[in-house]
Amino acid sequence: MRRIPRVNRSIDLLSSKYASTQSPSVCLGCRFQAASFSTSPSRPSPTSDEKIPITGRLRNKIWGTTEPPGAKDPYANDSLKTEEGETELVTESAGKTTKEPKLQELPKPKKHKKAKTWDDLEMVGDLQKMSLSGAKFKPFAPRTVVEDSHELIAALHQAVVDVFTLKNTGKPYSDLVRLPKKLMLDRARSAKIVPTEDGAALEYEEQGAADKVFGDVEVDAHLEDPASQAEVERNLVAKDSQRARDLVKSFDKAWLDVPLRDLDLKFALLKRVFRLTGVKFPDSQVQNLHTVRFILSKMLKKPEPTKLVGVLTRNVDLKALSNVSISPTRITKTAKSKKLGELKLINAELERKGLPVGVVRNQSNKFQIRSSR
Amino acid sequence: MAAKGLQGFSRGLGSIRAYAGSRDPLTQCLAPVLSRSMATEVQMPSNASPYNFHALTSVVTENEFTPPKVLTTIHNFPTMEPVRLHEYSSKYLYLPIRKDLLHRAVIFEGDAARQGTAHAKTRFEVRGSHRKIRPQKGTGKARLGTAQSPMLRGGGKSFGPRHRDFATDLPRKMYDLAWRTALSYRYKKGELLICEDGMKVDYPERLNPDHGHMLYMKDIFKANKWGSKHGRSMVITNEYIEELFKAMETLGSEGIMKIGAEVDVKDLLSTKRLIIEQSALEQLLREHQSDLIPKVRAMV
C-alpha cells in the first residue's frame, strides 16, 4: 500500500463510504478509494413487468408523472398525434384519413451511352442568359443604327410626315411615341410633303388618312395572332435597301426645303428620327438645323474614322497601288509565311515528325503548345 | 470706310488715265502713264457678284458664332428618350476650348491628390552611434567618419524624398473657368447627356439583386452604346442611389458612377461621355461660377 494514495481515476477523488469512518482498521487507500462501478448503460431487466423503454422512463422522470404529455416515442409514425388523437399535419375529415403519397417509381433510365462530342446534346444556355431570365432592357432607340443612305432618307421622310400630320391635326407631339418604332413603307409614302412658309402641307393619297394616323397602330395591336402581326410588319417594313431605294425615287425633292423654325416641331422631328433610325444629333447642332436638308446632310455624313487604317483605306490613290497592302494589325512572321503558303508545308512536316505544331490560346486565354494530332 | 477710300482712289486713277490721253497742252498730263496701277484692284461687292453678304447674314447670324444661350436635351434615364429642351447660358456650356486652363486644372488636382509620404532618412536620421569608425591615419584605407555616411552601405540618403505637401495653388476663378471649359468641351462634342432628376432603374422583379442587377445594368450600357466598346461612360448623380451604385460596382470596364461632390475636372475628361443628372449639373455650375458672379460683401 502506498504511503500517499494516488488516484488513477478522477472519480476517485470523490469521497467513499469509508471516508467518514474513523476506524483504524481501514487504511487510507481504501478510505479514499471509490467503489468500482460500471459506466456502461445497464440492460433493462427481463423480469420487469412494465417493460418501459429508457425514453419512457426519462420522460416520466422529467415530468414527474407516470403519464407524461407528448408522444411516447418521438420516432414512431404516430409521433404527431396528440393525446386527443388529432394529427397536426394529417387532417381527418369525414372519418377518412389521408395517406401519405407513395413514392413514385421513376422510370428506369435507358442504357447510358457516353457522348464523344457535344452534337445532339441538350444545350442549356449561358449563365448570363439564365441570370437575366429573358429580362432584356428596351431602349428608346433601336439597338442597331440604320446605316443605309436610302433607308435613312425614307426614315426622315416618314418622320416629317408623322410630325406634320400631328401638327396639322392639332394633336400633341407627345403622341409620337404611340406610333410604330419601325420604318413603315406605307407610312413613309402615304403623303406628299409640300413646303410652306410656316412648315409643310401634306397631300394624302387617301381621303381622311390624316385622321387615321393611329388607326394602323390600334388595328395591329388587336391582332390576335402575333405571328401574323409580325408578318404584316415584315411586309411593311422597308428594311431591304432595294425597297427603300424604290421608295426614295418616288419622293419629290421639294420636301427637303421644309423650314424648321418652330423649336417644338424641330425637337419632335429629331426625336422621331432618333426613334426610327438611332441617329442622334448633338445638342450643339440643333440650333443650326434650319431645314430638313440640313438634317439629311448631317445624317448622310459618314463619321470620321477613329483609326489610321480607316483613313488609309479611304485613300483611293493608295488603294490603286498594286504593291501596297494595308493591314489593321502588325504583320507577323506567321502571317507572312501563311500568305506565301509555306506555313502549311512546315506544319505538315512537323506533324509527320510528331513535333509540336504551334502555339495557341487555350480556354483560359493562356498560350499553350499545340501538339500534332 | 476703306471701301469708299478705295473707290475714290480707283476713280481717281481712272480720271488720271482719262487726262493722260488728251493732247491739249493745257490739260495734258505730263506724268508718266502707269501701265500698272499702284493699288491692287479689288472687285467691289455688287448685286451681281456671287458673294451676297446680305444673303449670308440672313442664314448665319452673329448669335450662331457666340450664342447667348445654348440648347440641351433632357433625357429619361435609362431609356434615353428625349423629354424636353432646356436652355443654359453660353458662359456655362459654350465656352471656347482652353487646353492650357484644362492642363493647369488637371495638374492642380493631381498635385493636391498626392500623399507625399515618401521619406528617406538622411545621415542624421539613421539610427546609430556617431563614433568615428576607424582612425584618420594609419589604416591604409580611406578616411571615414560615422557609419551613417551616405557613401557607406546602410548609411543615409543625401537628397532623398522628403514627406511634404505637394499641393499647388491655382486661382479659384481659373479653376472654375477650367471646370466649365471641360463641360463646354463635352457639350460641343455631343458627349454631355443630361437626364431628368431622379435617375433610377426599374429592374425586373424576377432578377437576383446580387448578380441580375449587374447584368441588367450591363445590358443598359450595351444598348445605349455607353460601354467599353464605345469608350466607357461616367454617370454623375446628385445623391448616392444604392441600387445604381451597387450594380455598377463590378462594371468598372464599362463605366464609372459618381456623385457630384466627388467629381473633378480630370473625371469630366476621362471617359468618352458624361451622363449627368440635371440637378447635379446645375449644382456643379453653381459651385464653379466664381468668375461670373462677384463676391457679395456683407453690409456692416
PDB file of all heavy atoms in Angstrom, chain B residues 4-32:
ATOM      1  N   LYS B   4     -14.888 102.836 -99.453  1.00  0.00           N
ATOM      2  CA  LYS B   4     -15.109 104.152-100.078  1.00  0.00           C
ATOM      3  C   LYS B   4     -13.790 104.782-100.489  1.00  0.00           C
ATOM      4  O   LYS B   4     -13.662 105.371-101.556  1.00  0.00           O
ATOM      5  CB  LYS B   4     -15.840 105.069 -99.098  1.00  0.00           C
ATOM      6  CG  LYS B   4     -17.317 104.750 -99.004  1.00  0.00           C
ATOM      7  CD  LYS B   4     -18.012 105.725 -98.078  1.00  0.00           C
ATOM      8  CE  LYS B   4     -19.464 105.345 -97.960  1.00  0.00           C
ATOM      9  NZ  LYS B   4     -20.142 106.177 -96.959  1.00  0.00           N
ATOM     10  N   GLY B   5     -12.803 104.592 -99.620  1.00  0.00           N
ATOM     11  CA  GLY B   5     -11.490 105.150 -99.934  1.00  0.00           C
ATOM     12  C   GLY B   5     -10.917 104.531-101.194  1.00  0.00           C
ATOM     13  O   GLY B   5     -10.388 105.208-102.074  1.00  0.00           O
ATOM     14  N   LEU B   6     -11.060 103.229-101.316  1.00  0.00           N
ATOM     15  CA  LEU B   6     -10.546 102.523-102.492  1.00  0.00           C
ATOM     16  C   LEU B   6     -11.303 102.936-103.744  1.00  0.00           C
ATOM     17  O   LEU B   6     -10.719 103.096-104.812  1.00  0.00           O
ATOM     18  CB  LEU B   6     -10.685 101.011-102.283  1.00  0.00           C
ATOM     19  CG  LEU B   6      -9.580 100.367-101.449  1.00  0.00           C
ATOM     20  CD1 LEU B   6      -9.963  98.969-101.044  1.00  0.00           C
ATOM     21  CD2 LEU B   6      -8.261 100.369-102.188  1.00  0.00           C
ATOM     22  N   GLN B   7     -12.609 103.101-103.564  1.00  0.00           N
ATOM     23  CA  GLN B   7     -13.410 103.516-104.707  1.00  0.00           C
ATOM     24  C   GLN B   7     -12.951 104.880-105.220  1.00  0.00           C
ATOM     25  O   GLN B   7     -12.791 105.086-106.410  1.00  0.00           O
ATOM     26  CB  GLN B   7     -14.889 103.586-104.299  1.00  0.00           C
ATOM     27  CG  GLN B   7     -15.589 102.253-104.383  1.00  0.00           C
ATOM     28  CD  GLN B   7     -17.040 102.332-103.967  1.00  0.00           C
ATOM     29  OE1 GLN B   7     -17.523 103.408-103.587  1.00  0.00           O
ATOM     30  NE2 GLN B   7     -17.740 101.233-104.057  1.00  0.00           N
ATOM     31  N   GLY B   8     -12.716 105.745-104.263  1.00  0.00           N
ATOM     32  CA  GLY B   8     -12.271 107.081-104.652  1.00  0.00           C
ATOM     33  C   GLY B   8     -10.935 107.041-105.375  1.00  0.00           C
ATOM     34  O   GLY B   8     -10.701 107.741-106.353  1.00  0.00           O
ATOM     35  N   PHE B   9     -10.074 106.140-104.871  1.00  0.00           N
ATOM     36  CA  PHE B   9      -8.733 106.032-105.459  1.00  0.00           C
ATOM     37  C   PHE B   9      -8.816 105.478-106.873  1.00  0.00           C
ATOM     38  O   PHE B   9      -8.153 105.965-107.788  1.00  0.00           O
ATOM     39  CB  PHE B   9      -7.882 105.131-104.575  1.00  0.00           C
ATOM     40  CG  PHE B   9      -6.453 105.088-104.991  1.00  0.00           C
ATOM     41  CD1 PHE B   9      -5.633 106.198-104.861  1.00  0.00           C
ATOM     42  CD2 PHE B   9      -5.917 103.933-105.555  1.00  0.00           C
ATOM     43  CE1 PHE B   9      -4.311 106.171-105.256  1.00  0.00           C
ATOM     44  CE2 PHE B   9      -4.582 103.893-105.935  1.00  0.00           C
ATOM     45  CZ  PHE B   9      -3.777 105.013-105.792  1.00  0.00           C
ATOM     46  N   SER B  10      -9.644 104.482-107.050  1.00  0.00           N
ATOM     47  CA  SER B  10      -9.749 103.897-108.397  1.00  0.00           C
ATOM     48  C   SER B  10     -10.373 104.888-109.355  1.00  0.00           C
ATOM     49  O   SER B  10      -9.981 104.973-110.516  1.00  0.00           O
ATOM     50  CB  SER B  10     -10.558 102.607-108.338  1.00  0.00           C
ATOM     51  OG  SER B  10     -11.881 102.876-107.966  1.00  0.00           O
ATOM     52  N   ARG B  11     -11.342 105.631-108.832  1.00  0.00           N
ATOM     53  CA  ARG B  11     -11.948 106.673-109.702  1.00  0.00           C
ATOM     54  C   ARG B  11     -10.901 107.725-110.046  1.00  0.00           C
ATOM     55  O   ARG B  11     -10.831 108.199-111.172  1.00  0.00           O
ATOM     56  CB  ARG B  11     -13.125 107.346-108.991  1.00  0.00           C
ATOM     57  CG  ARG B  11     -14.400 106.521-109.097  1.00  0.00           C
ATOM     58  CD  ARG B  11     -15.603 107.267-108.637  1.00  0.00           C
ATOM     59  NE  ARG B  11     -16.562 106.304-108.073  1.00  0.00           N
ATOM     60  CZ  ARG B  11     -17.081 106.365-106.861  1.00  0.00           C
ATOM     61  NH1 ARG B  11     -16.789 107.344-106.049  1.00  0.00           N
ATOM     62  NH2 ARG B  11     -17.912 105.456-106.438  1.00  0.00           N
ATOM     63  N   GLY B  12     -10.100 107.997-109.048  1.00  0.00           N
ATOM     64  CA  GLY B  12      -9.037 108.971-109.291  1.00  0.00           C
ATOM     65  C   GLY B  12      -8.073 108.489-110.357  1.00  0.00           C
ATOM     66  O   GLY B  12      -7.662 109.233-111.251  1.00  0.00           O
ATOM     67  N   LEU B  13      -7.718 107.225-110.272  1.00  0.00           N
ATOM     68  CA  LEU B  13      -6.808 106.636-111.273  1.00  0.00           C
ATOM     69  C   LEU B  13      -7.433 106.691-112.665  1.00  0.00           C
ATOM     70  O   LEU B  13      -6.779 107.012-113.652  1.00  0.00           O
ATOM     71  CB  LEU B  13      -6.530 105.180-110.917  1.00  0.00           C
ATOM     72  CG  LEU B  13      -5.399 104.926-109.935  1.00  0.00           C
ATOM     73  CD1 LEU B  13      -5.323 103.451-109.606  1.00  0.00           C
ATOM     74  CD2 LEU B  13      -4.071 105.388-110.488  1.00  0.00           C
ATOM     75  N   GLY B  14      -8.712 106.361-112.692  1.00  0.00           N
ATOM     76  CA  GLY B  14      -9.398 106.398-113.978  1.00  0.00           C
ATOM     77  C   GLY B  14      -9.386 107.811-114.565  1.00  0.00           C
ATOM     78  O   GLY B  14      -9.182 108.016-115.756  1.00  0.00           O
ATOM     79  N   SER B  15      -9.577 108.771-113.681  1.00  0.00           N
ATOM     80  CA  SER B  15      -9.594 110.160-114.175  1.00  0.00           C
ATOM     81  C   SER B  15      -8.205 110.577-114.664  1.00  0.00           C
ATOM     82  O   SER B  15      -8.061 111.296-115.634  1.00  0.00           O
ATOM     83  CB  SER B  15     -10.082 111.100-113.066  1.00  0.00           C
ATOM     84  OG  SER B  15      -9.162 111.095-112.001  1.00  0.00           O
ATOM     85  N   ILE B  16      -7.184 110.059-113.959  1.00  0.00           N
ATOM     86  CA  ILE B  16      -5.806 110.376-114.393  1.00  0.00           C
ATOM     87  C   ILE B  16      -5.560 109.788-115.773  1.00  0.00           C
ATOM     88  O   ILE B  16      -5.016 110.440-116.665  1.00  0.00           O
ATOM     89  CB  ILE B  16      -4.774 109.830-113.381  1.00  0.00           C
ATOM     90  CG1 ILE B  16      -4.786 110.704-112.119  1.00  0.00           C
ATOM     91  CG2 ILE B  16      -3.376 109.824-113.980  1.00  0.00           C
ATOM     92  CD1 ILE B  16      -4.057 110.108-110.952  1.00  0.00           C
ATOM     93  N   ARG B  17      -6.003 108.599-115.960  1.00  0.00           N
ATOM     94  CA  ARG B  17      -5.790 107.958-117.265  1.00  0.00           C
ATOM     95  C   ARG B  17      -6.556 108.704-118.345  1.00  0.00           C
ATOM     96  O   ARG B  17      -6.124 108.804-119.473  1.00  0.00           O
ATOM     97  CB  ARG B  17      -6.278 106.514-117.199  1.00  0.00           C
ATOM     98  CG  ARG B  17      -5.330 105.619-116.452  1.00  0.00           C
ATOM     99  CD  ARG B  17      -5.543 104.174-116.838  1.00  0.00           C
ATOM    100  NE  ARG B  17      -5.038 103.345-115.737  1.00  0.00           N
ATOM    101  CZ  ARG B  17      -5.790 102.870-114.769  1.00  0.00           C
ATOM    102  NH1 ARG B  17      -7.076 103.079-114.739  1.00  0.00           N
ATOM    103  NH2 ARG B  17      -5.248 102.168-113.797  1.00  0.00           N
ATOM    104  N   ALA B  18      -7.731 109.164-117.931  1.00  0.00           N
ATOM    105  CA  ALA B  18      -8.548 109.892-118.913  1.00  0.00           C
ATOM    106  C   ALA B  18      -7.800 111.161-119.380  1.00  0.00           C
ATOM    107  O   ALA B  18      -7.746 111.466-120.560  1.00  0.00           O
ATOM    108  CB  ALA B  18      -9.882 110.249-118.288  1.00  0.00           C
ATOM    109  N   TYR B  19      -7.209 111.792-118.383  1.00  0.00           N
ATOM    110  CA  TYR B  19      -6.485 113.032-118.755  1.00  0.00           C
ATOM    111  C   TYR B  19      -5.187 112.714-119.503  1.00  0.00           C
ATOM    112  O   TYR B  19      -4.721 113.489-120.320  1.00  0.00           O
ATOM    113  CB  TYR B  19      -6.157 113.855-117.511  1.00  0.00           C
ATOM    114  CG  TYR B  19      -7.317 114.702-117.061  1.00  0.00           C
ATOM    115  CD1 TYR B  19      -7.887 114.525-115.809  1.00  0.00           C
ATOM    116  CD2 TYR B  19      -7.828 115.686-117.905  1.00  0.00           C
ATOM    117  CE1 TYR B  19      -8.942 115.303-115.412  1.00  0.00           C
ATOM    118  CE2 TYR B  19      -8.907 116.460-117.514  1.00  0.00           C
ATOM    119  CZ  TYR B  19      -9.460 116.266-116.255  1.00  0.00           C
ATOM    120  OH  TYR B  19     -10.510 117.039-115.866  1.00  0.00           O
ATOM    121  N   ALA B  20      -4.597 111.587-119.188  1.00  0.00           N
ATOM    122  CA  ALA B  20      -3.318 111.258-119.831  1.00  0.00           C
ATOM    123  C   ALA B  20      -3.477 111.120-121.331  1.00  0.00           C
ATOM    124  O   ALA B  20      -2.559 111.373-122.105  1.00  0.00           O
ATOM    125  CB  ALA B  20      -2.778 109.966-119.221  1.00  0.00           C
ATOM    126  N   GLY B  21      -4.647 110.722-121.750  1.00  0.00           N
ATOM    127  CA  GLY B  21      -4.833 110.535-123.185  1.00  0.00           C
ATOM    128  C   GLY B  21      -5.043 111.843-123.957  1.00  0.00           C
ATOM    129  O   GLY B  21      -4.922 111.882-125.162  1.00  0.00           O
ATOM    130  N   SER B  22      -5.337 112.936-123.292  1.00  0.00           N
ATOM    131  CA  SER B  22      -5.672 114.161-124.033  1.00  0.00           C
ATOM    132  C   SER B  22      -4.393 114.839-124.537  1.00  0.00           C
ATOM    133  O   SER B  22      -3.346 114.785-123.918  1.00  0.00           O
ATOM    134  CB  SER B  22      -6.448 115.110-123.128  1.00  0.00           C
ATOM    135  OG  SER B  22      -5.575 115.804-122.280  1.00  0.00           O
ATOM    136  N   ARG B  23      -4.508 115.455-125.707  1.00  0.00           N
ATOM    137  CA  ARG B  23      -3.315 116.084-126.317  1.00  0.00           C
ATOM    138  C   ARG B  23      -3.317 117.599-126.150  1.00  0.00           C
ATOM    139  O   ARG B  23      -2.407 118.274-126.616  1.00  0.00           O
ATOM    140  CB  ARG B  23      -3.281 115.736-127.802  1.00  0.00           C
ATOM    141  CG  ARG B  23      -2.939 114.258-127.972  1.00  0.00           C
ATOM    142  CD  ARG B  23      -2.895 113.883-129.402  1.00  0.00           C
ATOM    143  NE  ARG B  23      -2.684 112.436-129.518  1.00  0.00           N
ATOM    144  CZ  ARG B  23      -2.641 111.813-130.666  1.00  0.00           C
ATOM    145  NH1 ARG B  23      -2.815 112.472-131.793  1.00  0.00           N
ATOM    146  NH2 ARG B  23      -2.435 110.515-130.701  1.00  0.00           N
ATOM    147  N   ASP B  24      -4.342 118.081-125.506  1.00  0.00           N
ATOM    148  CA  ASP B  24      -4.406 119.519-125.262  1.00  0.00           C
ATOM    149  C   ASP B  24      -3.287 119.873-124.286  1.00  0.00           C
ATOM    150  O   ASP B  24      -3.186 119.296-123.203  1.00  0.00           O
ATOM    151  CB  ASP B  24      -5.768 119.854-124.664  1.00  0.00           C
ATOM    152  CG  ASP B  24      -5.968 121.358-124.536  1.00  0.00           C
ATOM    153  OD1 ASP B  24      -5.067 122.117-124.959  1.00  0.00           O
ATOM    154  OD2 ASP B  24      -7.006 121.747-123.998  1.00  0.00           O
ATOM    155  N   PRO B  25      -2.404 120.783-124.640  1.00  0.00           N
ATOM    156  CA  PRO B  25      -1.273 121.076-123.735  1.00  0.00           C
ATOM    157  C   PRO B  25      -1.723 121.606-122.375  1.00  0.00           C
ATOM    158  O   PRO B  25      -1.022 121.472-121.387  1.00  0.00           O
ATOM    159  CB  PRO B  25      -0.462 122.130-124.492  1.00  0.00           C
ATOM    160  CG  PRO B  25      -1.365 122.643-125.559  1.00  0.00           C
ATOM    161  CD  PRO B  25      -2.366 121.598-125.848  1.00  0.00           C
ATOM    162  N   LEU B  26      -2.911 122.205-122.355  1.00  0.00           N
ATOM    163  CA  LEU B  26      -3.367 122.731-121.065  1.00  0.00           C
ATOM    164  C   LEU B  26      -3.840 121.605-120.123  1.00  0.00           C
ATOM    165  O   LEU B  26      -3.748 121.717-118.908  1.00  0.00           O
ATOM    166  CB  LEU B  26      -4.514 123.727-121.267  1.00  0.00           C
ATOM    167  CG  LEU B  26      -4.106 125.070-121.906  1.00  0.00           C
ATOM    168  CD1 LEU B  26      -5.347 125.893-122.213  1.00  0.00           C
ATOM    169  CD2 LEU B  26      -3.145 125.847-121.021  1.00  0.00           C
ATOM    170  N   THR B  27      -4.371 120.597-120.751  1.00  0.00           N
ATOM    171  CA  THR B  27      -4.903 119.504-119.906  1.00  0.00           C
ATOM    172  C   THR B  27      -4.045 118.237-119.978  1.00  0.00           C
ATOM    173  O   THR B  27      -4.375 117.217-119.396  1.00  0.00           O
ATOM    174  CB  THR B  27      -6.337 119.144-120.318  1.00  0.00           C
ATOM    175  OG1 THR B  27      -6.311 118.814-121.705  1.00  0.00           O
ATOM    176  CG2 THR B  27      -7.289 120.273-120.029  1.00  0.00           C
ATOM    177  N   GLN B  28      -2.942 118.332-120.728  1.00  0.00           N
ATOM    178  CA  GLN B  28      -2.143 117.121-120.883  1.00  0.00           C
ATOM    179  C   GLN B  28      -1.408 116.807-119.582  1.00  0.00           C
ATOM    180  O   GLN B  28      -0.833 117.692-118.933  1.00  0.00           O
ATOM    181  CB  GLN B  28      -1.122 117.354-122.007  1.00  0.00           C
ATOM    182  CG  GLN B  28      -0.402 116.106-122.437  1.00  0.00           C
ATOM    183  CD  GLN B  28       0.565 116.431-123.561  1.00  0.00           C
ATOM    184  OE1 GLN B  28       0.965 117.572-123.748  1.00  0.00           O
ATOM    185  NE2 GLN B  28       0.967 115.414-124.308  1.00  0.00           N
ATOM    186  N   CYS B  29      -1.445 115.586-119.245  1.00  0.00           N
ATOM    187  CA  CYS B  29      -0.764 115.169-118.018  1.00  0.00           C
ATOM    188  C   CYS B  29       0.658 114.830-118.395  1.00  0.00           C
ATOM    189  O   CYS B  29       0.912 114.035-119.304  1.00  0.00           O
ATOM    190  CB  CYS B  29      -1.460 113.962-117.420  1.00  0.00           C
ATOM    191  SG  CYS B  29      -0.658 113.330-115.941  1.00  0.00           S
ATOM    192  N   LEU B  30       1.588 115.461-117.730  1.00  0.00           N
ATOM    193  CA  LEU B  30       2.993 115.226-118.038  1.00  0.00           C
ATOM    194  C   LEU B  30       3.576 114.049-117.245  1.00  0.00           C
ATOM    195  O   LEU B  30       4.684 113.614-117.471  1.00  0.00           O
ATOM    196  CB  LEU B  30       3.805 116.491-117.746  1.00  0.00           C
ATOM    197  CG  LEU B  30       3.347 117.715-118.555  1.00  0.00           C
ATOM    198  CD1 LEU B  30       4.099 118.949-118.074  1.00  0.00           C
ATOM    199  CD2 LEU B  30       3.604 117.500-120.051  1.00  0.00           C
ATOM    200  N   ALA B  31       2.836 113.580-116.340  1.00  0.00           N
ATOM    201  CA  ALA B  31       3.330 112.432-115.544  1.00  0.00           C
ATOM    202  C   ALA B  31       3.336 111.183-116.410  1.00  0.00           C
ATOM    203  O   ALA B  31       2.524 111.044-117.324  1.00  0.00           O
ATOM    204  CB  ALA B  31       2.433 112.224-114.327  1.00  0.00           C
ATOM    205  N   PRO B  32       4.269 110.290-116.129  1.00  0.00           N
ATOM    206  CA  PRO B  32       4.306 109.073-116.944  1.00  0.00           C
ATOM    207  C   PRO B  32       3.029 108.225-116.737  1.00  0.00           C
ATOM    208  O   PRO B  32       2.490 108.160-115.647  1.00  0.00           O
ATOM    209  CB  PRO B  32       5.527 108.315-116.414  1.00  0.00           C
ATOM    210  CG  PRO B  32       5.766 108.852-115.050  1.00  0.00           C
ATOM    211  CD  PRO B  32       5.282 110.263-115.068  1.00  0.00           C
TER     212      PRO B  32
END
